[in-house]
Amino acid sequence: MIRELAAYWHELRGANPVALKKSFDPARVTALLPYLIIAEYVQNPLRIRYRLVGTEQVRHAGEDFTGKWLHETEWDSRYVEVWLAAVAEMITTSQPVFGRDLLLWTDDKIKECEWAVFPMSIDGRGITHGLGIEDFSKIERRRGLFAPL
């Protein structure tokens, strides 16, 4: 899933440093929509507002955080710090960030997921949004539920 979104983001940005947010067409990545997050970034200090949260994101997080600011979630402060650092790196470098995490989820089990966030811009000059994805397929395979390989 991450590779598919990366290929789409590279197509969107073309010869530009980052993709323009208005170029994003959800119809081009319909299979990924449940796993996507679109976040808006406000700087000085860095704050993150979740504009779109896919249904699988909601299911795994145990809450719909669409419209919430990161600091309004009830997530562990260590996770919030890591997430802010990753987004700050992406904003500074204008490059996507990737990771793999072991997280304690709402069902009190530690689960692994891989993630990526791709920078987007409203005006082509600064990073104003991120197009993120979290791949929960390893979790699903372990539980024997649906998960395409």
Side-chain angles (χ1 to χ4, degrees), residues 19-149:
L20 292 176
K21 183 178 178 282
K22 67 182 178 183
S23 300
F24 176 70
D25 178 5
R28 297 279 311 278
V29 290
T30 54
L32 301 178
L33 290 177
Y35 300 92
L36 294 185
I37 292 174
I38 295 179
E40 175 185 6
Y41 306 129
V42 177
Q43 297 187 44
N44 299 321
L46 175 60
R47 294 179 9 138
I48 300 172
R49 184 170 190 165
Y50 294 100
R51 294 298 189 175
L52 176 138
V53 178
T55 55
E56 283 300 294
Q57 295 285 344
V58 171
R59 183 171 76 90
H60 281 278
E63 70 172 306
D64 185 356
F65 47 100
T66 303
K68 286 187 177 181
W69 293 91
L70 176 61
H71 69 272
E72 293 175 333
T73 65
E74 296 181 13
W75 300 338
D76 186 287
S77 62
R78 294 168 294 183
Y79 175 76
V80 170
E81 289 174 28
V82 167
W83 199 240
L84 285 170
V87 169
E89 177 185 336
M90 182 191 66
I91 290 171
T92 300
T93 65
S94 297
Q95 295 296 310
V97 289
F98 302 88
R100 179 180 297 145
D101 291 325
L102 294 173
L103 301 171
L104 180 63
W105 290 77
T106 55
D107 61 4
D108 291 324
K109 295 181 181 173
I110 294 178
K111 301 178 183 181
E112 178 181 350
C113 75
E114 296 178 14
W115 56 267
V117 183
F118 300 88
M120 300 183 84
S121 177
I122 289 178
D123 58 11
R125 292 189 300 258
I127 307 305
T128 58
H129 290 77
L131 176 61
I133 187 165
E134 289 182 282
D135 181 351
F136 304 110
S137 61
K138 289 183 180 185
I139 295 168
E140 301 295 358
R141 280 196 292 272
R142 286 190 191 127
R143 292 198 334 220
L145 300 175
F146 165 78
L149 293 175

